[in-house]
mmCIF file of all heavy atoms in Angstrom:
data_model
loop_
_atom_site.group_PDB
_atom_site.id
_atom_site.type_symbol
_atom_site.label_atom_id
_atom_site.label_comp_id
_atom_site.label_asym_id
_atom_site.label_seq_id
_atom_site.Cartn_x
_atom_site.Cartn_y
_atom_site.Cartn_z
ATOM 1 N N LEU A 1 0.850 -1.187 0.004
ATOM 2 C CA LEU A 1 -0.006 -0.005 0.003
ATOM 3 C C LEU A 1 0.886 1.244 -0.007
ATOM 4 O O LEU A 1 2.010 1.188 0.506
ATOM 5 C CB LEU A 1 -0.907 0.055 1.227
ATOM 6 C CG LEU A 1 -2.127 -0.850 1.301
ATOM 7 C CD1 LEU A 1 -2.773 -0.760 2.687
ATOM 8 C CD2 LEU A 1 -3.126 -0.518 0.219
ATOM 9 N N ARG A 2 0.352 2.324 -0.549
ATOM 10 C CA ARG A 2 1.047 3.605 -0.499
ATOM 11 C C ARG A 2 0.150 4.613 0.169
ATOM 12 O O ARG A 2 -0.929 4.932 -0.341
ATOM 13 C CB ARG A 2 1.422 4.078 -1.900
ATOM 14 C CG ARG A 2 2.333 5.310 -1.919
ATOM 15 C CD ARG A 2 2.392 5.923 -3.289
ATOM 16 N NE ARG A 2 3.469 6.875 -3.439
ATOM 17 C CZ ARG A 2 3.452 7.872 -4.336
ATOM 18 N NH1 ARG A 2 2.412 8.009 -5.150
ATOM 19 N NH2 ARG A 2 4.490 8.682 -4.435
ATOM 20 N N LEU A 3 0.594 5.132 1.290
ATOM 21 C CA LEU A 3 -0.147 6.138 2.016
ATOM 22 C C LEU A 3 0.341 7.533 1.598
ATOM 23 O O LEU A 3 1.527 7.721 1.297
ATOM 24 C CB LEU A 3 0.044 5.967 3.523
ATOM 25 C CG LEU A 3 -0.279 4.599 4.120
ATOM 26 C CD1 LEU A 3 -0.127 4.653 5.626
ATOM 27 C CD2 LEU A 3 -1.650 4.145 3.708
ATOM 28 N N SER A 4 -0.581 8.480 1.625
ATOM 29 C CA SER A 4 -0.263 9.874 1.339
ATOM 30 C C SER A 4 -0.754 10.758 2.465
ATOM 31 O O SER A 4 -1.761 10.459 3.099
ATOM 32 C CB SER A 4 -0.933 10.337 0.030
ATOM 33 O OG SER A 4 -0.488 9.567 -1.069
ATOM 34 N N CYS A 5 -0.050 11.837 2.695
ATOM 35 C CA CYS A 5 -0.465 12.828 3.679
ATOM 36 C C CYS A 5 -0.278 14.207 3.065
ATOM 37 O O CYS A 5 0.846 14.638 2.803
ATOM 38 C CB CYS A 5 0.361 12.700 4.955
ATOM 39 S SG CYS A 5 0.096 14.025 6.148
ATOM 40 N N ALA A 6 -1.400 14.884 2.857
ATOM 41 C CA ALA A 6 -1.375 16.234 2.293
ATOM 42 C C ALA A 6 -1.405 17.261 3.416
ATOM 43 O O ALA A 6 -2.299 17.210 4.280
ATOM 44 C CB ALA A 6 -2.557 16.428 1.361
ATOM 45 N N ALA A 7 -0.463 18.173 3.388
ATOM 46 C CA ALA A 7 -0.330 19.176 4.424
ATOM 47 C C ALA A 7 -0.757 20.547 3.912
ATOM 48 O O ALA A 7 -0.491 20.888 2.762
ATOM 49 C CB ALA A 7 1.112 19.220 4.929
ATOM 50 N N SER A 8 -1.356 21.323 4.791
ATOM 51 C CA SER A 8 -1.680 22.699 4.478
ATOM 52 C C SER A 8 -1.540 23.526 5.734
ATOM 53 O O SER A 8 -1.562 22.990 6.853
ATOM 54 C CB SER A 8 -3.099 22.809 3.924
ATOM 55 O OG SER A 8 -4.046 22.361 4.857
ATOM 56 N N GLY A 9 -1.387 24.850 5.553
ATOM 57 C CA GLY A 9 -1.286 25.737 6.696
ATOM 58 C C GLY A 9 0.096 25.797 7.327
ATOM 59 O O GLY A 9 0.256 26.372 8.413
ATOM 60 N N MET A 10 1.101 25.190 6.689
ATOM 61 C CA MET A 10 2.449 25.217 7.191
ATOM 62 C C MET A 10 3.411 25.417 6.044
ATOM 63 O O MET A 10 3.059 25.191 4.880
ATOM 64 C CB MET A 10 2.810 23.893 7.903
ATOM 65 C CG MET A 10 2.802 22.687 6.994
ATOM 66 S SD MET A 10 3.689 21.218 7.649
ATOM 67 C CE MET A 10 2.812 20.906 9.145
ATOM 68 N N ILE A 11 4.627 25.851 6.354
ATOM 69 C CA ILE A 11 5.674 25.887 5.327
ATOM 70 C C ILE A 11 6.289 24.494 5.292
ATOM 71 O O ILE A 11 7.239 24.175 5.996
ATOM 72 C CB ILE A 11 6.729 26.962 5.661
ATOM 73 C CG1 ILE A 11 6.058 28.319 5.842
ATOM 74 C CG2 ILE A 11 7.768 27.054 4.527
ATOM 75 C CD1 ILE A 11 6.979 29.441 6.278
ATOM 76 N N PHE A 12 5.699 23.680 4.453
ATOM 77 C CA PHE A 12 5.963 22.241 4.447
ATOM 78 C C PHE A 12 7.433 21.926 4.271
ATOM 79 O O PHE A 12 7.982 21.071 4.968
ATOM 80 C CB PHE A 12 5.135 21.575 3.327
ATOM 81 C CG PHE A 12 5.306 20.092 3.232
ATOM 82 C CD1 PHE A 12 4.635 19.263 4.137
ATOM 83 C CD2 PHE A 12 6.112 19.515 2.271
ATOM 84 C CE1 PHE A 12 4.782 17.876 4.054
ATOM 85 C CE2 PHE A 12 6.262 18.154 2.183
ATOM 86 C CZ PHE A 12 5.589 17.316 3.087
ATOM 87 N N ARG A 13 8.105 22.603 3.340
ATOM 88 C CA ARG A 13 9.475 22.233 3.016
ATOM 89 C C ARG A 13 10.435 22.445 4.186
ATOM 90 O O ARG A 13 11.522 21.878 4.229
ATOM 91 C CB ARG A 13 9.968 23.043 1.825
ATOM 92 C CG ARG A 13 10.209 24.524 2.087
ATOM 93 C CD ARG A 13 10.652 25.293 0.875
ATOM 94 N NE ARG A 13 11.044 26.660 1.212
ATOM 95 C CZ ARG A 13 10.197 27.655 1.360
ATOM 96 N NH1 ARG A 13 8.916 27.441 1.245
ATOM 97 N NH2 ARG A 13 10.646 28.868 1.638
ATOM 98 N N LEU A 14 10.044 23.250 5.172
ATOM 99 C CA LEU A 14 10.893 23.521 6.315
ATOM 100 C C LEU A 14 10.683 22.535 7.474
ATOM 101 O O LEU A 14 11.400 22.596 8.461
ATOM 102 C CB LEU A 14 10.659 24.934 6.822
ATOM 103 C CG LEU A 14 10.981 26.063 5.833
ATOM 104 C CD1 LEU A 14 10.741 27.416 6.491
ATOM 105 C CD2 LEU A 14 12.414 25.960 5.318
ATOM 106 N N ASN A 15 9.680 21.662 7.341
ATOM 107 C CA ASN A 15 9.320 20.787 8.430
ATOM 108 C C ASN A 15 9.731 19.354 8.196
ATOM 109 O O ASN A 15 9.467 18.790 7.121
ATOM 110 C CB ASN A 15 7.799 20.804 8.643
ATOM 111 C CG ASN A 15 7.353 22.038 9.404
ATOM 112 O OD1 ASN A 15 7.358 22.049 10.628
ATOM 113 N ND2 ASN A 15 6.949 23.059 8.694
ATOM 114 N N GLY A 16 10.375 18.744 9.200
ATOM 115 C CA GLY A 16 10.502 17.303 9.200
ATOM 116 C C GLY A 16 9.119 16.699 9.409
ATOM 117 O O GLY A 16 8.291 17.264 10.102
ATOM 118 N N MET A 17 8.886 15.559 8.779
ATOM 119 C CA MET A 17 7.590 14.903 8.860
ATOM 120 C C MET A 17 7.736 13.464 9.307
ATOM 121 O O MET A 17 8.829 12.871 9.190
ATOM 122 C CB MET A 17 6.865 14.959 7.504
ATOM 123 C CG MET A 17 6.594 16.371 6.986
ATOM 124 S SD MET A 17 5.466 17.304 8.060
ATOM 125 C CE MET A 17 3.959 16.346 7.913
ATOM 126 N N GLY A 18 6.634 12.881 9.748
ATOM 127 C CA GLY A 18 6.719 11.501 10.207
ATOM 128 C C GLY A 18 5.396 10.786 10.011
ATOM 129 O O GLY A 18 4.349 11.395 9.924
ATOM 130 N N TRP A 19 5.491 9.489 9.961
ATOM 131 C CA TRP A 19 4.340 8.595 9.992
ATOM 132 C C TRP A 19 4.328 7.831 11.313
ATOM 133 O O TRP A 19 5.394 7.399 11.781
ATOM 134 C CB TRP A 19 4.382 7.584 8.829
ATOM 135 C CG TRP A 19 3.971 8.180 7.510
ATOM 136 C CD1 TRP A 19 4.823 8.661 6.549
ATOM 137 C CD2 TRP A 19 2.659 8.371 7.040
ATOM 138 N NE1 TRP A 19 4.086 9.142 5.498
ATOM 139 C CE2 TRP A 19 2.733 8.956 5.751
ATOM 140 C CE3 TRP A 19 1.374 8.079 7.540
ATOM 141 C CZ2 TRP A 19 1.606 9.279 4.991
ATOM 142 C CZ3 TRP A 19 0.275 8.389 6.800
ATOM 143 C CH2 TRP A 19 0.387 8.990 5.520
ATOM 144 N N TYR A 20 3.146 7.688 11.860
ATOM 145 C CA TYR A 20 2.954 7.033 13.157
ATOM 146 C C TYR A 20 1.810 6.081 12.993
ATOM 147 O O TYR A 20 0.961 6.218 12.100
ATOM 148 C CB TYR A 20 2.647 8.079 14.229
ATOM 149 C CG TYR A 20 3.700 9.172 14.298
ATOM 150 C CD1 TYR A 20 3.655 10.241 13.422
ATOM 151 C CD2 TYR A 20 4.748 9.117 15.219
ATOM 152 C CE1 TYR A 20 4.629 11.249 13.448
ATOM 153 C CE2 TYR A 20 5.708 10.108 15.259
ATOM 154 C CZ TYR A 20 5.646 11.156 14.362
ATOM 155 O OH TYR A 20 6.622 12.125 14.398
ATOM 156 N N ARG A 21 1.734 5.092 13.878
ATOM 157 C CA ARG A 21 0.602 4.163 13.810
ATOM 158 C C ARG A 21 0.157 3.750 15.213
ATOM 159 O O ARG A 21 0.960 3.747 16.141
ATOM 160 C CB ARG A 21 0.932 2.944 12.997
ATOM 161 C CG ARG A 21 1.992 2.004 13.594
ATOM 162 C CD ARG A 21 2.330 0.888 12.591
ATOM 163 N NE ARG A 21 3.332 -0.027 13.145
ATOM 164 C CZ ARG A 21 3.894 -1.008 12.410
ATOM 165 N NH1 ARG A 21 3.570 -1.188 11.145
ATOM 166 N NH2 ARG A 21 4.786 -1.805 12.976
ATOM 167 N N GLN A 22 -1.130 3.423 15.289
ATOM 168 C CA GLN A 22 -1.703 2.983 16.559
ATOM 169 C C GLN A 22 -2.589 1.789 16.297
ATOM 170 O O GLN A 22 -3.598 1.904 15.594
ATOM 171 C CB GLN A 22 -2.474 4.118 17.216
ATOM 172 C CG GLN A 22 -2.955 3.781 18.609
ATOM 173 C CD GLN A 22 -3.449 5.004 19.364
ATOM 174 O OE1 GLN A 22 -3.812 6.019 18.772
ATOM 175 N NE2 GLN A 22 -3.473 4.934 20.680
ATOM 176 N N ALA A 23 -2.200 0.661 16.869
ATOM 177 C CA ALA A 23 -3.006 -0.545 16.796
ATOM 178 C C ALA A 23 -3.985 -0.550 17.973
ATOM 179 O O ALA A 23 -3.760 0.108 18.992
ATOM 180 C CB ALA A 23 -2.119 -1.782 16.839
ATOM 181 N N PRO A 24 -5.073 -1.295 17.846
ATOM 182 C CA PRO A 24 -6.067 -1.341 18.941
ATOM 183 C C PRO A 24 -5.443 -1.733 20.266
ATOM 184 O O PRO A 24 -4.718 -2.725 20.341
ATOM 185 C CB PRO A 24 -7.070 -2.371 18.448
ATOM 186 C CG PRO A 24 -6.962 -2.346 16.968
ATOM 187 C CD PRO A 24 -5.510 -2.080 16.683
ATOM 188 N N GLY A 25 -5.710 -0.947 21.291
ATOM 189 C CA GLY A 25 -5.199 -1.252 22.621
ATOM 190 C C GLY A 25 -3.737 -0.944 22.846
ATOM 191 O O GLY A 25 -3.193 -1.292 23.893
ATOM 192 N N LYS A 26 -3.090 -0.323 21.860
ATOM 193 C CA LYS A 26 -1.661 -0.044 22.003
ATOM 194 C C LYS A 26 -1.411 1.453 21.862
ATOM 195 O O LYS A 26 -2.260 2.214 21.398
ATOM 196 C CB LYS A 26 -0.874 -0.808 20.943
ATOM 197 C CG LYS A 26 -0.954 -2.324 21.095
ATOM 198 C CD LYS A 26 -0.009 -3.027 20.155
ATOM 199 C CE LYS A 26 -0.021 -4.528 20.375
ATOM 200 N NZ LYS A 26 0.928 -5.233 19.463
ATOM 201 N N GLN A 27 -0.229 1.875 22.251
ATOM 202 C CA GLN A 27 0.129 3.268 22.132
ATOM 203 C C GLN A 27 0.480 3.612 20.678
ATOM 204 O O GLN A 27 0.741 2.718 19.868
ATOM 205 C CB GLN A 27 1.319 3.588 23.045
ATOM 206 C CG GLN A 27 2.609 2.926 22.607
ATOM 207 C CD GLN A 27 3.762 3.269 23.533
ATOM 208 O OE1 GLN A 27 3.585 3.750 24.645
ATOM 209 N NE2 GLN A 27 4.990 3.070 23.069
ATOM 210 N N ARG A 28 0.481 4.895 20.397
ATOM 211 C CA ARG A 28 0.846 5.354 19.055
ATOM 212 C C ARG A 28 2.385 5.400 18.965
ATOM 213 O O ARG A 28 3.052 5.995 19.809
ATOM 214 C CB ARG A 28 0.275 6.756 18.811
ATOM 215 C CG ARG A 28 0.353 7.223 17.397
ATOM 216 C CD ARG A 28 -0.446 8.526 17.225
ATOM 217 N NE ARG A 28 -1.851 8.326 17.588
ATOM 218 C CZ ARG A 28 -2.759 9.303 17.492
ATOM 219 N NH1 ARG A 28 -2.419 10.505 17.044
ATOM 220 N NH2 ARG A 28 -4.007 9.068 17.838
ATOM 221 N N ASP A 29 2.911 4.743 17.954
ATOM 222 C CA ASP A 29 4.360 4.622 17.807
ATOM 223 C C ASP A 29 4.830 5.247 16.498
ATOM 224 O O ASP A 29 4.095 5.276 15.497
ATOM 225 C CB ASP A 29 4.774 3.148 17.793
ATOM 226 C CG ASP A 29 4.590 2.485 19.137
ATOM 227 O OD1 ASP A 29 4.772 3.165 20.179
ATOM 228 O OD2 ASP A 29 4.266 1.278 19.167
ATOM 229 N N MET A 30 6.067 5.696 16.485
ATOM 230 C CA MET A 30 6.683 6.205 15.281
ATOM 231 C C MET A 30 6.948 5.039 14.326
ATOM 232 O O MET A 30 7.433 3.990 14.719
ATOM 233 C CB MET A 30 7.994 6.910 15.618
ATOM 234 C CG MET A 30 8.705 7.567 14.467
ATOM 235 S SD MET A 30 9.751 6.470 13.460
ATOM 236 C CE MET A 30 11.107 6.169 14.591
ATOM 237 N N VAL A 31 6.661 5.262 13.063
ATOM 238 C CA VAL A 31 6.947 4.279 12.027
ATOM 239 C C VAL A 31 8.162 4.739 11.198
ATOM 240 O O VAL A 31 9.093 3.975 10.972
ATOM 241 C CB VAL A 31 5.741 4.112 11.077
ATOM 242 C CG1 VAL A 31 6.067 3.188 9.909
ATOM 243 C CG2 VAL A 31 4.541 3.583 11.861
ATOM 244 N N ALA A 32 8.137 5.985 10.752
ATOM 245 C CA ALA A 32 9.200 6.513 9.904
ATOM 246 C C ALA A 32 9.182 8.023 9.952
ATOM 247 O O ALA A 32 8.114 8.635 10.121
ATOM 248 C CB ALA A 32 9.042 6.039 8.457
ATOM 249 N N THR A 33 10.348 8.640 9.855
ATOM 250 C CA THR A 33 10.435 10.105 9.789
ATOM 251 C C THR A 33 11.364 10.508 8.657
ATOM 252 O O THR A 33 12.220 9.745 8.211
ATOM 253 C CB THR A 33 10.961 10.702 11.104
ATOM 254 O OG1 THR A 33 12.301 10.214 11.351
ATOM 255 C CG2 THR A 33 10.049 10.350 12.273
ATOM 256 N N ILE A 34 11.164 11.739 8.209
ATOM 257 C CA ILE A 34 12.000 12.301 7.178
ATOM 258 C C ILE A 34 12.256 13.771 7.516
ATOM 259 O O ILE A 34 11.316 14.499 7.828
ATOM 260 C CB ILE A 34 11.364 12.141 5.775
ATOM 261 C CG1 ILE A 34 12.318 12.630 4.689
ATOM 262 C CG2 ILE A 34 10.002 12.810 5.677
ATOM 263 C CD1 ILE A 34 11.895 12.183 3.276
ATOM 264 N N THR A 35 13.509 14.181 7.467
ATOM 265 C CA THR A 35 13.824 15.564 7.777
ATOM 266 C C THR A 35 13.517 16.461 6.596
ATOM 267 O O THR A 35 13.226 15.989 5.489
ATOM 268 C CB THR A 35 15.328 15.682 8.156
ATOM 269 O OG1 THR A 35 16.101 15.449 6.979
ATOM 270 C CG2 THR A 35 15.712 14.723 9.253
ATOM 271 N N SER A 36 13.648 17.773 6.799
ATOM 272 C CA SER A 36 13.440 18.702 5.725
ATOM 273 C C SER A 36 14.480 18.473 4.619
ATOM 274 O O SER A 36 14.229 18.749 3.446
ATOM 275 C CB SER A 36 13.509 20.141 6.215
ATOM 276 O OG SER A 36 14.732 20.406 6.870
ATOM 277 N N GLY A 37 15.631 17.956 4.992
ATOM 278 C CA GLY A 37 16.687 17.692 4.014
ATOM 279 C C GLY A 37 16.610 16.327 3.372
ATOM 280 O O GLY A 37 17.412 15.999 2.497
ATOM 281 N N GLY A 38 15.662 15.499 3.819
ATOM 282 C CA GLY A 38 15.483 14.202 3.176
ATOM 283 C C GLY A 38 16.092 13.024 3.924
ATOM 284 O O GLY A 38 15.979 11.871 3.435
ATOM 285 N N SER A 39 16.676 13.239 5.080
ATOM 286 C CA SER A 39 17.217 12.110 5.847
ATOM 287 C C SER A 39 16.063 11.340 6.487
ATOM 288 O O SER A 39 15.144 11.941 6.989
ATOM 289 C CB SER A 39 18.180 12.604 6.926
ATOM 290 O OG SER A 39 19.301 13.239 6.323
ATOM 291 N N THR A 40 16.196 10.025 6.476
ATOM 292 C CA THR A 40 15.101 9.173 6.950
ATOM 293 C C THR A 40 15.505 8.325 8.154
ATOM 294 O O THR A 40 16.696 8.065 8.365
ATOM 295 C CB THR A 40 14.599 8.263 5.824
ATOM 296 O OG1 THR A 40 15.710 7.459 5.359
ATOM 297 C CG2 THR A 40 14.055 9.070 4.671
ATOM 298 N N ASN A 41 14.492 7.920 8.878
ATOM 299 C CA ASN A 41 14.680 7.055 10.040
ATOM 300 C C ASN A 41 13.473 6.134 10.118
ATOM 301 O O ASN A 41 12.339 6.584 9.853
ATOM 302 C CB ASN A 41 14.832 7.880 11.322
ATOM 303 C CG ASN A 41 15.131 7.023 12.536
ATOM 304 O OD1 ASN A 41 16.014 6.164 12.484
ATOM 305 N ND2 ASN A 41 14.379 7.198 13.591
ATOM 306 N N TYR A 42 13.689 4.878 10.513
ATOM 307 C CA TYR A 42 12.615 3.893 10.525
ATOM 308 C C TYR A 42 12.611 3.123 11.838
ATOM 309 O O TYR A 42 13.658 2.870 12.440
ATOM 310 C CB TYR A 42 12.776 2.912 9.382
ATOM 311 C CG TYR A 42 12.673 3.520 8.002
ATOM 312 C CD1 TYR A 42 13.818 3.951 7.348
ATOM 313 C CD2 TYR A 42 11.439 3.686 7.383
ATOM 314 C CE1 TYR A 42 13.753 4.535 6.096
ATOM 315 C CE2 TYR A 42 11.359 4.264 6.136
ATOM 316 C CZ TYR A 42 12.511 4.694 5.497
ATOM 317 O OH TYR A 42 12.413 5.270 4.267
ATOM 318 N N ALA A 43 11.428 2.736 12.247
ATOM 319 C CA ALA A 43 11.310 1.779 13.332
ATOM 320 C C ALA A 43 11.896 0.464 12.886
ATOM 321 O O ALA A 43 11.805 0.086 11.695
ATOM 322 C CB ALA A 43 9.845 1.614 13.716
ATOM 323 N N ASP A 44 12.496 -0.263 13.813
ATOM 324 C CA ASP A 44 13.143 -1.526 13.451
ATOM 325 C C ASP A 44 12.169 -2.503 12.782
ATOM 326 O O ASP A 44 12.547 -3.265 11.887
ATOM 327 C CB ASP A 44 13.737 -2.169 14.693
ATOM 328 C CG ASP A 44 14.981 -1.460 15.205
ATOM 329 O OD1 ASP A 44 15.557 -0.671 14.436
ATOM 330 O OD2 ASP A 44 15.359 -1.693 16.360
ATOM 331 N N SER A 45 10.924 -2.453 13.204
ATOM 332 C CA SER A 45 9.926 -3.402 12.715
ATOM 333 C C SER A 45 9.581 -3.225 11.238
ATOM 334 O O SER A 45 8.992 -4.118 10.631
ATOM 335 C CB SER A 45 8.661 -3.335 13.572
ATOM 336 O OG SER A 45 8.113 -2.027 13.518
#
């Protein structure tokens, strides 16, 4: 699957962004992040 997230109301290019997920009964966890410069980080899973 490919997820998309459209942003408005911010200067998008200056912001690092991230994807997070929450399964039923669990806390919300980081999945992946990307800096304004394009550096990425991922959860081990």
Side-chain angles (χ1 to χ4, degrees):
L1 285 173
R2 188 194 195 204
L3 306 184
S4 300
C5 171
S8 61
M10 64 162 60
I11 304 175
F12 181 79
R13 70 181 188 280
L14 298 182
N15 281 274
M17 299 297 296
W19 283 97
Y20 306 82
R21 68 186 181 187
Q22 187 167 21
K26 296 188 176 181
Q27 67 179 17
R28 192 172 301 182
D29 291 326
M30 184 277 289
V31 174
T33 63
I34 185 167
T35 68
S36 57
S39 297
T40 58
N41 184 49
Y42 297 92
D44 287 344
S45 60

